[in-house]
Each structure stands twice: as structure tokens, then as C-alpha cells.
Amino acid sequence: MTTLFEKLWMQHVVAELPGGAALIAIDRIFLHERTGSIALKSLRERGRMVVDPARVFCTMDHIVDTFPGRGDATRMPGGTAFIVETRAAARESGIHLFDVRDSDQGIVHVISPELGIVLPGTTVVCPDSHTCTQGAMGAFAWGIGSTEAEHALATGTLRVTRPRTMRIRFEGKLAPGVTAKDLSLAVISRWGSAGGNGYVVEYAGSAIRSLEIEARLTLCNMATEFSAVTGLIAPDDRTFEYLAGRRFAPKGERWDAAVAAWRKLRSDDDAQFDVEYRIDVDDLAPMITWGTSPQHAVEVTGAVPTLERSGATREAYERALAYMGLSAGTVLADLPIDAAFIGSCTNSRLSDLRRAAALLRGRKVARGVKAICVPGSMAVKRAAEAEGLHEVFTAAGFEWRESGCSMCFYAGGESFGRRQRVVSSTNRNFESRQGPETRTHIASPETVAASAIAGRIADPRRLAALH
Amino acid sequence: MEKFTKLRAVAAPLLRANIDTDAIIPSREMKAVSKTGLADGLFAGWRYRTIGGRDPNPDFVLNQPAYAGTRILLGGENFGCGSSREHAVWALFEFGIRAVVAPSFSPIFYGNCIRNGIVPVRLPADQIATIAAQVESDPPTQRVTVDLERSLVVAPDGSEHAFEIEPEAREMLLEGLDAIDLTLRSRAAIDAFLVRDRRLRPWIYELPRARTP
């Protein structure tokens, strides 16, 4: 009768607290220079220590420069201080640091699975909302604030009110050109950006079993855009194969024992969830957003919905359309674009770059479109270059960058510019998220690539790979 | 942490849904590794006429003289969604906000409020709309009360709206407790857990020490 989440919860209860809360053991803590720096600094100012530094990891991803030959300088005013202070605090506390020039540097939610830091059955926290990404490995992984990070660093635990459980079953087979990103946008547009509020959402069903690990990470990544506590996928052979031999994963006998334990991490057949939804995926199409919330998404062949069909309040609807420079009934495909961005913790892994490159090979980005690709980690970048993907991107007219969060958000440095229309493989289309008054349309890497070539929003299914 | 028991204050309606933490404090306004110096950047994109500027936009509710001294925000669904940045809560606190009333909150923002002495109050949207309409008739006199001891919001017309808050969160806010201090009282339980868990899941604990650069 037990759900996967309840199994993870019970394995980590240190003590029950009054009112249904519990003290939960934290197995892995991740920090980054943007919000982790203040946690380390505040901890030190209060005279407290990191209780087990070997289980704490830190990366430089959020405001680190992504131009070739980078150092500590950033285009964001004051940005260097975040890097320098994080480095000093990390060294002092003895935690693992993936510094600016480290060969393992990258976006936290890309490198954590890549290095075998997140494992099935672990609890993982990070002061970053997209920590839910890592739930794809069968971990209870969720985003917290900096004060909570201090608590986890100092005590190895967090005080947590037990969340409710939801399961979404994806049944059927995805059509060619339809990806995990589209599943994610379909869920959020169907049930709203607050639809998962307060739930741990387990993604299950036949379509999930056949998803590769990187695609599962993409799906879980946007659980926070659904207002969920986190997303979760039961680990299976794909998970174990992915993790085997990774730098921080267990080895030898320990590996065998771990896998044996991990095989029990699945919801029982008769498990009871507080809420259950189901999506038949066969008929899903590539999705794209038209507004300023991830729930404002339609099929890429669709049009801006009317107020009545939008699911938004009048105020939000009118505000979103004014911001985006659109009106009801506007067909999205064929809208001219100014820029294209492939990157972020959502879609910057090797498989994402391969799929985009398959469409870009032998083609050119349309004149006047600024196109940028930022691999999610230095390991992704090296692997992509070993396959020659960087040549495909640059020959097509994309910039090819060093890894980091880059232009997923605007921190005062680089931006796309006012009222510039960007098709982006990122996760948030909020007002001014990618730059003051920048108009963001979220979509899969395939849709970004197809749109970059067309110079307008385009359906990737209509663009066959040339080679 | 500052204790919260009961507050009667000017309340400002900002009823749009999905007010995200990028809107509450844009990333460009987080200029130093610090929990302070953030109040000026609060709602910067809406509050000022130009990006990065400080010329007030008179249309924004918190710039209107009638809302001077606002300490309570009335918000829309999914308040505080988006980035986990606690700077959003620090900016609200520094500005003077001590309670946010909304139909629902992003889980991370909700937790951040509790750790910083801001009461996140969940009320149904129609009740918030009613309270907001009363406030708007004359904000300086039509004040709202958030009574955490009784878990009630008292509208300007005296009507009472009960809200639910987790017992642990309520106690932390009422007593102004430091969560780390509280947890360290359970040190024996933590140590016992670790002894037991090291046997069950040794691979969790057998990590190499950090490479010293």
C-alpha cells in the first residue's frame, strides 16, 4: 500500500515532530554561488560548522561567465564577489567545489546525476528551485531557501511537513518530435501552474519507463513550475546503468548492495495517492508557451487562446498578451523571432544537443536571429565536441559557449534586449526573466532549432534531418 | 527571529496570480552576498519607471500615498512561485511586510517566510477579494488584522476569516524560534539515526574528502 515517496520518507525520519512534521535526514547538499554563498557566509558568522563536508557539494553555475576563456570576471555588476566569496567559504568549510575552471564544472542539476552525487533513495537539497530535476533518479530532491540550507549544513537534517502525494501516469508512446519537455508543458497547461501545489508528484506509466534518463531529468525539472514540492520517478535498470561507474557513485560490493536496495524503491501496486491523473501521450504534439506563465502553453501548431479557453484570469491574460505583444487568435507558428537559446538545467544535456544538431546539420540560422547554445556541463561540452556537434552548431550560426545557467535568467549582465522574441529551451517565461521586457517562448530544443532556422516559430516535425 | 503574534496594519492588494520571486526581487537587484540591502529592489520591475532606475511608477500600489506603511500584502494564487531565492522574503521583510495573504503559495517561498518571521496566510480567493474591496475604499483607515494566536484574519468590517497553518510553523513564528537551535536539541536522535543508517546504507557515507586546491 506504500508509495515510493512514503518509502523514501520513512527511510529518512530521524524523529517525529509535533503536528505531522518530521526531522528528515539529508544525504546530499548542493550549493551554488548565487544562493549557497550566503548560506555558507551566514553559517560562519553564527559560529556554526558544516557537520559532514564530504557530503556537501558546490558549483559555480548561476552567474559565472559562459564566454570562452572565462575567469572570475562576469558581465553582471558585482558578480565576481559571489564567485570569490563562494570559493573562499567552500575551501574554508572543506566541501567539494566545482570551480570555474574545474573539468567537472556545470549546472548543479546536470552535474549531480553526471557525477553520481544524487543516487536513488537519497535525500538531496539545494537552495535552488530546480532541485526537483534530480527526483528523476528516484531521489527525494527538493529546492529550499538559504536559511534551510544553513540548517541542513549545520545539522544534516531538515524539519519537514510531510507533503501529499500525486501520481501522473503517462500511457502510450510519444510521436517522433515530441519530447519530455512537451510532456512537462502539457501537464502544466492542463492542470495549471499551481496544479501540483504542495504535492510530491510521481511520474509513472509506460511512457516514463521508455524515457531515457536525460529525458526524465527534463520532465522532473519543471515540477517546480507546477508548484509541486518535487517530482519523482522510480529508479529502474536505465537508472542503474546510467549511474554505474560515475565518480561519486558506490563501487564494487557496495554498488551491488546499493542496487539491491534500490530495486525496492517503487510504489506498491496497491499504493494509494492523494490525487491521480492520467495522460495518454500518443496524440501529444510539441508544445510552446504564448504568455508569461508556463501554464500558458499550446501545441506549436496552435494559436493564442481566447480568454475563456486560456485558463487565466482576465487580468493575467490581458497583462500577458500586452507583455508578449500578441492577441487572441494569433497563430504561433510563423511569428518572427529575434533569438534562439538552447541551454539551462531543463535542456542542455548531450541528448538535447544531439537532437537539436540533427536538425541544424547542413542548415543555417535565419538572418538576423541571434542563436546561442550553452552546454549544461563541461563534460557535456567535451562529449559534444568529441562527436563534432560544436561544428554543427557553429556552422549553422549558433554561438558555442562554456557551461553554466547563462541566459536562462537575467542578472544584470547579458540579455536579449527589449521586446526581443526568444524561443528558448529553458523553464521560465516570466516577465523580464531573460532580460528587461524580453519575450520568452519556452519549447523543446528541437523546436528552438527549427525556429532558429526558419526565423520564426516552427514545428520541428516538418523539418526532417538532412543527413 | 522576530516574534509574530498579532498585527493590525495597512494592507495592499496585489491580486494577480503567479507573482514570482523574479518579480518580487529581480536577480539584477541581488548585488552582494548579503541578506540586507534588498528593500530598494523589492518589486523593482513594477515599482520604478525604468529598469535599474529609482523613479517611482505612480500606478504601482506600494507607491500610492494611501498605502504608506503597508505591512500586509494581499496576493493571488501561487504567490512566490519561481526561483527559490530567499532574497524575495528578505526584501519583503526589510520593506516592512510581516504577513502575506494569498490563496496558495509556492512551497519554497512559504517555507522561507516561516524562517524569517513573515506569516504566510492561506485564505480562499473570494475572501481575499472581499477584504481587498474593503481596504480599497480607504486604505489608511480600513486596516486588516492578522492574529496568529487565534489563526484569524480580521477584515476591516470586523468579519473574521479563520486560516490553517501547520502547528510547527505557527509555533516557530509565535516564539521567534531559531530552527537550528531547536533541531540541535534532537542531537541524540540524529546520532542514533546515523549509527543505524551507516549499517543499512553505507554507500551514502563513504565519500572521498574534498580535494584541496
Side-chain angles (χ1 to χ4, degrees):
Chain A
M1 305 259 308
T2 315
T3 66
L4 167 58
F5 171 69
E6 286 159 343
K7 292 180 186 181
L8 297 177
W9 178 267
M10 288 184 295
Q11 282 182 3
H12 291 86
V13 171
V14 172
E16 301 285 351
L17 300 173
L23 195 59
I24 294 295
I26 303 302
D27 296 328
R28 303 279 183 265
I29 302 170
F30 233 117
L31 304 172
H32 58 63
E33 84 281 26
R34 194 58 164 155
T35 58
S37 46
I38 185 67
L40 288 171
K41 182 178 181 178
S42 174
L43 196 71
R44 191 178 58 222
E45 283 170 359
R46 296 168 71 183
R48 293 194 168 108
M49 302 282 288
V50 177
V51 68
D52 190 356
R55 291 193 283 136
V56 182
F57 302 82
C58 182
T59 187
M60 307 281 196
D61 58 359
H62 268 60
I63 49 180
V64 68
D65 202 273
T66 54
F67 285 94
R70 68 181 170 191
D72 292 353
T74 79
R75 280 162 175 74
M76 178 218 152
T80 301
F82 285 84
I83 293 172
V84 172
E85 291 189 39
T86 299
R87 178 181 299 132
R91 285 181 181 168
E92 191 185 343
S93 56
I95 64 176
H96 302 272
L97 174 66
F98 306 109
D99 209 337
V100 178
R101 291 199 170 90
D102 194 300
S103 60
D104 284 332
Q105 181 273 349
I107 303 174
V108 41
H109 313 304
V110 176
I111 66 174
S112 180
E114 198 173 79
L115 295 171
I117 292 168
V118 56
L119 300 170
T122 51
T123 46
V124 182
V125 294
C126 174
D128 188 283
S129 57
H130 290 110
T131 308
C132 53
T133 309
Q134 303 186 41
M137 308 303 291
F140 177 29
W142 74 106
I144 56 174
S146 298
T147 302
E148 287 284 77
E150 277 181 57
H151 187 290
L153 290 165
T155 69
T157 66
L158 279 178
R159 310 172 75 85
V160 191
T161 298
R162 182 160 158 169
R164 293 165 294 171
T165 56
M166 175 188 288
R167 177 163 62 186
I168 304 181
R169 299 165 73 127
F170 298 83
E171 301 295 349
K173 193 165 179 293
L174 288 173
V178 183
T179 68
K181 180 64 159 285
D182 305 306
L183 288 182
S184 174
L185 288 171
V187 165
I188 299 165
S189 66
R190 196 167 297 192
W191 291 294
S193 56
N197 189 267
Y199 292 95
V200 167
V201 181
E202 181 178 343
Y203 300 106
S206 56
I208 300 299
R209 286 300 122 218
S210 47
L211 279 187
E212 296 293 344
I213 293 301
E214 295 188 355
R216 293 180 187 181
L217 290 161
T218 297
L219 176 61
C220 287
N221 174 267
M222 287 182 70
T224 188
E225 268 62 65
F226 194 41
S227 201
V229 171
T230 191
L232 187 59
I233 293 176
D236 57 16
D237 285 333
R238 286 181 200 272
T239 321
F240 312 144
E241 280 161 27
Y242 175 93
L243 285 170
R246 303 259 173 190
R247 180 172 160 194
F248 291 95
K251 311 278 176 347
E253 285 176 16
R254 286 289 194 248
W255 170 259
D256 297 337
V259 171
W262 297 341
R263 288 193 186 282
K264 296 172 192 154
L265 296 175
R266 50 184 290 279
S267 290
D268 295 338
D269 293 340
D270 56 355
Q272 297 287 313
F273 293 80
D274 295 307
V275 175
E276 285 228 51
Y277 292 142
R278 177 190 162 115
I279 291 191
D280 293 308
V281 306
D282 303 66
D283 299 329
L284 289 183
M287 303 287 289
I288 191 160
T289 61
W290 53 267
T292 54
S293 162
Q295 75 179 3
H296 300 155
V298 292
E299 294 186 2
V300 69
T301 52
V304 176
T306 57
L307 168 64
E308 293 69 33
R309 296 188 60 113
S310 72
T313 61
R314 175 178 291 278
E315 205 259 349
Y317 177 77
E318 289 174 353
R319 203 182 157 84
L321 289 189
Y323 182 88
M324 295 298 290
L326 298 172
S327 46
T330 305
V331 175
L332 287 161
D334 293 342
L335 264 183
I337 64 166
D338 303 294
F341 181 82
I342 295 177
S344 87
C345 56
T346 318
N347 280 123
S348 64
R349 299 178 180 84
L350 185 59
S351 57
D352 297 316
L353 305 191
R354 279 179 182 156
R355 299 196 316 276
L359 298 180
L360 292 169
R361 186 166 283 134
R363 294 190 170 103
K364 294 272 186 207
V365 169
R367 185 188 296 266
V369 173
K370 181 184 175 78
I372 300 173
C373 177
V374 185
S377 70
M378 293 312 286
V380 169
K381 181 168 186 265
R382 283 191 301 275
E385 289 177 352
E387 297 179 11
L389 300 186
H390 61 309
E391 287 163 358
V392 176
F393 278 97
T394 53
F398 268 77
E399 288 180 45
W400 179 253
R401 298 278 189 95
E402 305 291 309
S403 72
C405 302
S406 187
M407 288 165 82
C408 175
F409 67 98
Y410 171 69
E414 264 191 300
S415 88
F416 289 103
R418 282 165 206 270
R419 289 183 280 283
Q420 296 291 289
R421 197 174 294 288
V422 185
V423 184
S424 181
S425 77
T426 54
N427 41 60
R428 289 186 177 138
N429 51 345
F430 300 160
E431 283 182 25
S432 299
R433 166 83 177 178
Q434 287 190 300
E437 295 177 46
T438 297
R439 292 164 170 167
T440 302
H441 295 269
I442 300 173
S444 69
E446 287 89 330
T447 301
V448 176
S451 303
I453 295 161
R456 21 192 95 235
I457 291 174
D459 183 346
R461 294 170 300 184
R462 303 187 61 176
L463 194 69
L466 286 178
H467 303 283
Chain B
M1 191 173 84
E2 193 177 292
K3 291 182 185 182
F4 187 107
T5 47
K6 183 175 170 180
L7 173 69
R8 181 169 178 269
V10 176
L14 203 57
L15 300 187
R16 58 185 71 138
N18 300 314
I19 292 179
D20 60 84
T21 53
D22 278 80
I24 299 172
I25 183 94
S27 187
R28 62 178 183 276
E29 297 288 347
M30 295 159 55
K31 294 169 181 164
V33 183
S34 173
K35 298 182 180 182
T36 57
L38 296 161
D40 266 5
L42 180 70
F43 294 119
W46 297 341
R47 196 164 141 210
Y48 305 116
R49 285 179 194 270
T50 54
I51 296 291
R54 287 293 183 260
D55 183 18
N57 166 12
D59 296 336
F60 186 62
V61 64
L62 294 176
N63 287 333
Q64 294 165 11
Y67 290 98
T70 291
R71 305 196 75 192
I72 300 169
L73 275 187
L74 305 175
E77 183 182 62
N78 203 24
F79 194 96
C81 63
S83 160
S84 68
R85 65 186 68 158
E86 198 161 326
H87 305 70
V89 169
W90 296 329
L92 286 166
F93 190 90
E94 196 176 314
F95 184 83
I97 304 298
R98 292 294 178 272
V100 182
V101 184
S104 60
F105 292 88
S106 131
I108 303 173
F109 180 86
Y110 188 87
N112 287 342
C113 283
I114 289 156
R115 291 286 178 261
N116 288 279
I118 293 181
V119 182
V121 176
R122 283 177 296 221
L123 282 185
D126 58 337
Q127 293 183 27
I128 297 174
T130 304
I131 295 169
Q134 293 172 25
V135 165
E136 282 166 346
S137 68
D138 187 31
T141 61
Q142 300 302 297
R143 297 191 170 201
V144 173
T145 301
V146 174
D147 183 341
L148 184 59
E149 283 182 320
R150 297 199 298 151
S151 298
L152 285 177
V153 171
V154 185
D157 71 355
S159 60
E160 296 185 339
H161 305 265
F163 65 88
E164 285 187 17
I165 185 166
E166 299 72 14
E168 154 108 354
R170 184 172 170 277
E171 195 193 337
M172 305 282 280
L173 289 163
L174 281 172
E175 302 297 328
L177 295 175
D178 180 283
I180 296 180
D181 288 342
L182 205 60
T183 295
L184 290 177
R185 290 184 207 162
S186 303
R187 192 171 261 153
I190 297 172
D191 290 343
F193 175 91
L194 289 172
V195 168
R196 192 170 68 242
D197 199 49
R198 275 176 200 279
R199 280 199 307 268
L200 290 170
R201 303 184 309 150
W203 59 86
I204 296 297
Y205 302 92
E206 296 167 348
L207 290 178
R209 297 169 76 89
R211 295 172 185 161
T212 40

